[in-house]
Amino acid sequence: MDTFDPTLADRFSFGLWTVGNTGRDPFGEAVRAPLSPTYTVRKLAECGAWGVNLHDNDLVPFGAPASERDRIVREFKSALAEHGLCVPMATTNLFSHPIFKDGAFSANDPKVRAFALRKSMDAIDLGVELGARTYVFWGGREGTEADACRDPRTAVARTRDALDFLCEYVRERRYDLRFALEAKPNEPRGDIYFPTTGHMLHFISTLAHPEMVGVNPEVAHETMAGLSFTHGVAQAMEAGKLFHIDLNAQRIGRYDQDFRFGSEDVRQAFLLVRLLEGTMGTEPYRGPLHFDAHAYRSEDEAGVWDFARGCMRTYKILKARAQAFDADPLVREIIADVKDAAVDPLLAGYTREKASSLRALAIDPSAVAKRGLRYEQLDQRMMEHLLGVR
Ligand code: DIG
Ligand code: MN
Ligand code: MN
């Protein structure tokens, strides 16, 4: 045991599909045997995880009869109770079955859209039965290759209809459940609708019950789009919409790698953990810390648990580094808020008086421009904390 071992208080979770990933990819078959859900629960508990998430069909095979479904759920529930794991999040697999080849909620065939709604209602019931409080929608098949197949505005409208329908379902059933929308720019579709967290944040504002809906940003997906993941998460937090988060690692310009958390861009991982943990003195994110990632295809089952432990350990190491960084007197001095009693009151809340005071302010642009900001010092100090010499 050391200070970086995970505890339940860390709220680390894994999807059944993450540690259960068999290593199959478009160019090769599975290299690992599938893991049963109950075995996965035991092993995740041994690793120190707090929660386990699932798509409906990660637990209940597609098309299983009700009696089979109930038996599987009963067994899963007893494994959860025996090993002390919770189910913080659930979601629907609306992407594997061929019926979804043209999308789910946005598909052109009304029967596909009907099947997607029905499957989502059943999966919501399952998630709530297992105790989930967050329900994720990742529209992996909601997109195009032949873009002329539908007006993109129709895809937006159909998705809104589906989510408004399902929000009403949750309200009528009085479920204590919030929706979290997960963006991705492409893969498995040539283009996926609502490609970034920013698109999702606007889309939520157009729904009938926006208060029920937030976002589930994923490191790999925003990075694939060439964006700052930390800035996207910060905007979601500022809007009170960071309902869940998918943590992993990704190199820009690659397929969706879903690598072990922190294993690629360490600087960005550090800045993300600093933001989530509020080590600079801000309100922290208090939701589940979900690792939507998987072990390298090179790994055997032992390597899968090395992967899971590595995700959690790296997060805790970066949290300790961020705490040390924000406690560093030099850092606090450089990033301290610049106060200006004469100017500050004029910068928000328009009034005619403020406008004329702004115009009357004596500001010498060249003198102001000369001020050094010491960001090289700041960033070097961050690197030294990261590299373990501070
Ligand atoms: C992929 O990034 C998606 C699916 O794995 C799942 O629907 C969602 C929940 O984490 N992430
Ligand atoms: Mn991904
Ligand atoms: Mn994800």
Side-chain angles (χ1 to χ4, degrees):
M1 272 294 271
D2 73 14
T3 45
F4 304 121
D5 283 348
T7 67
L8 296 182
D10 294 313
R11 310 184 316 284
F12 291 136
S13 66
F14 290 84
L16 284 175
W17 71 91
T18 66
V19 289
N21 179 290
T22 59
R24 198 163 55 83
D25 66 26
F27 304 100
E29 289 314 310
V31 296
R32 295 183 289 266
L35 303 178
S36 80
T38 51
Y39 175 75
T40 303
V41 167
R42 174 162 72 83
K43 294 297 288 181
L44 283 176
E46 285 171 8
C47 291
W50 159 78
V52 60
N53 305 317
L54 65 149
H55 299 85
D56 47 349
N57 300 137
D58 297 333
L59 183 66
V60 180
F62 186 95
S67 56
E68 172 73 355
R69 176 243 186 245
D70 294 346
R71 179 191 62 76
I72 291 169
V73 171
R74 217 173 18 256
E75 278 177 16
F76 190 64
K77 278 179 176 175
S78 56
L80 293 168
E82 183 186 349
H83 300 291
L85 248 58
C86 64
V87 175
M89 177 270 276
T91 183
T92 324
N93 185 322
L94 294 176
F95 43 85
S96 294
H97 194 283
I99 188 173
F100 299 124
K101 64 188 178 185
D102 181 36
F105 298 143
S106 65
N108 283 358
D109 183 341
K111 284 196 181 62
V112 175
R113 303 203 297 271
F115 190 82
L117 274 178
R118 186 170 75 191
K119 193 170 192 287
S120 298
M121 286 190 285
D122 293 345
I124 286 170
D125 292 345
L126 171 62
V128 170
E129 183 179 348
L130 293 170
R133 304 277 300 282
T134 303
Y135 202 82
V136 163
F137 290 86
W138 171 63
R141 293 282 176 203
E142 311 289 9
T144 62
E145 291 77 38
D147 208 55
C149 67
R150 69 179 69 84
D151 180 331
R153 290 165 296 185
T154 305
V156 172
R158 288 173 179 165
T159 306
R160 180 182 300 114
D161 290 346
L163 288 171
D164 284 347
F165 186 100
L166 293 169
C167 278
E168 287 301 345
Y169 179 71
V170 166
R171 287 161 56 83
E172 185 204 42
R173 304 295 291 252
R174 299 191 186 291
Y175 287 155
D176 178 11
L177 196 69
R178 300 193 304 180
F179 288 174
L181 308 186
E182 180 173 343
K184 187 176 180 181
N186 59 70
E187 189 196 23
R189 299 309 301 266
D191 283 293
I192 295 180
Y193 298 120
F194 309 104
T196 72
T197 294
H199 289 83
M200 289 297 192
L201 286 171
H202 169 265
F203 177 59
I204 289 166
S205 70
T206 72
L207 298 176
H209 295 286
E211 73 286 353
M212 290 177 63
V213 188
V215 291
N216 175 46
E218 179 176 307
V219 174
H221 302 174
E222 303 295 309
T223 305
M224 285 169 72
L227 301 174
S228 160
F229 183 68
T230 307
H231 291 184
V233 169
Q235 186 172 344
M237 290 174 84
E238 203 272 343
K241 289 294 183 183
L242 186 66
F243 286 10
H244 198 264
I245 192 164
D246 275 2
L247 300 170
N248 51 31
Q250 173 75 29
R251 283 179 62 193
I252 194 163
R254 267 89 170 158
Y255 63 93
D256 186 10
Q257 295 176 307
D258 292 342
F259 285 159
R260 185 182 76 257
F261 179 68
S263 62
E264 285 300 336
D265 186 340
V266 177
R267 284 168 59 94
Q268 281 306 310
F270 169 82
L271 291 162
L272 172 66
V273 172
R274 180 170 182 246
L275 174 74
L276 293 174
E277 295 300 327
T279 57
M280 58 197 107
T282 50
E283 184 62 22
Y285 162 72
R286 302 183 192 282
L289 291 166
H290 175 225
F291 297 105
D292 186 8
H294 55 75
Y296 301 133
R297 189 167 184 266
S298 52
E299 300 307 291
D300 60 6
E301 185 189 328
V304 167
W305 308 117
D306 294 337
F307 147 81
R309 288 191 187 91
C311 285
M312 297 184 280
R313 194 170 170 75
T314 297
Y315 188 99
K316 293 197 76 165
I317 291 167
L318 292 174
K319 178 177 175 179
R321 295 278 171 219
Q323 286 163 337
F325 176 70
D326 281 306
D328 186 320
L330 178 71
V331 171
R332 298 168 75 94
E333 180 194 321
I334 294 174
I335 65 173
D337 268 350
V338 179
K339 301 275 183 214
D340 186 326
V343 178
D344 291 342
L346 306 179
L347 300 178
Y350 175 82
T351 65
R352 209 173 293 163
E353 294 68 28
K354 290 186 183 182
S356 49
S357 301
L358 282 171
R359 288 203 164 98
L361 269 184
I363 296 177
D364 173 355
S366 358
V368 172
K370 279 201 182 72
R371 184 170 158 256
L373 300 171
R374 301 170 68 190
Y375 289 171
E376 282 291 345
Q377 243 189 336
L378 175 68
D379 200 82
Q380 176 62 24
R381 184 56 63 96
M382 184 181 95
M383 290 307 295
E384 293 186 7
H385 278 280
L386 262 179
L387 296 171
V389 297
R390 289 274 166 196

